[in-house]
Amino acid sequence: MQESIDRLCDLIEGTEHLYRQVCDRIFSLVQGRQRDRLIAYLRQIEYGLAGSREYSQTAARYHGRGFSHLSGNRFVPSRTSGWLELSPGNSIFHDT
């Protein structure tokens, strides 16, 4: 399983690196007000991806009830160590 996780992490990192390369290439080709608008658009895409990632890391939908709690204005995992049970429908985080 660790090898699968490592491959997935490598794929995510490679995709993020490619995204940065594409953005840099686009920025080098577009100038002026269009460039400013494009930067704002791409930043919104990044915010959406970051929000989706954060949701998937803390959502009870994926990890079971009680997995996360509200801290300030955001949800954070209630537990940071334990046993993660993976299944096709969801994952469950058990205390150990």
Side-chain angles (χ1 to χ4, degrees):
M1 185 161 89
Q2 187 61 52
E3 290 175 10
S4 296
I5 291 170
D6 292 345
R7 283 195 312 267
L8 181 59
C9 290
D10 289 344
L11 178 62
I12 291 169
E13 185 177 346
T15 302
E16 289 177 351
H17 182 71
L18 178 60
Y19 174 80
R20 293 280 174 222
Q21 287 179 324
V22 169
C23 286
D24 290 345
R25 178 75 174 133
I26 291 170
F27 295 154
S28 72
L29 297 173
V30 180
Q31 299 298 320
R33 191 164 182 211
Q34 286 181 333
R35 186 175 191 271
D36 295 339
R37 288 180 176 176
L38 185 59
I39 289 172
Y41 175 76
L42 292 174
R43 293 301 171 253
Q44 289 302 314
I45 290 174
E46 290 178 19
Y47 293 148
L49 293 172
S52 178
R53 180 185 307 169
E54 184 171 337
Y55 175 79
S56 68
Q57 291 172 339
T58 60
R61 173 181 180 180
Y62 301 124
H63 305 289
R65 293 184 188 273
F67 176 76
S68 59
H69 67 277
L70 191 60
S71 176
N73 64 348
R74 60 186 289 222
F75 281 91
V76 296
S78 296
R79 301 177 300 271
T80 55
S81 65
W83 182 261
L84 183 62
E85 178 184 338
L86 301 175
S87 67
N90 64 354
S91 59
I92 300 170
F93 195 82
H94 301 281
D95 288 328
T96 59

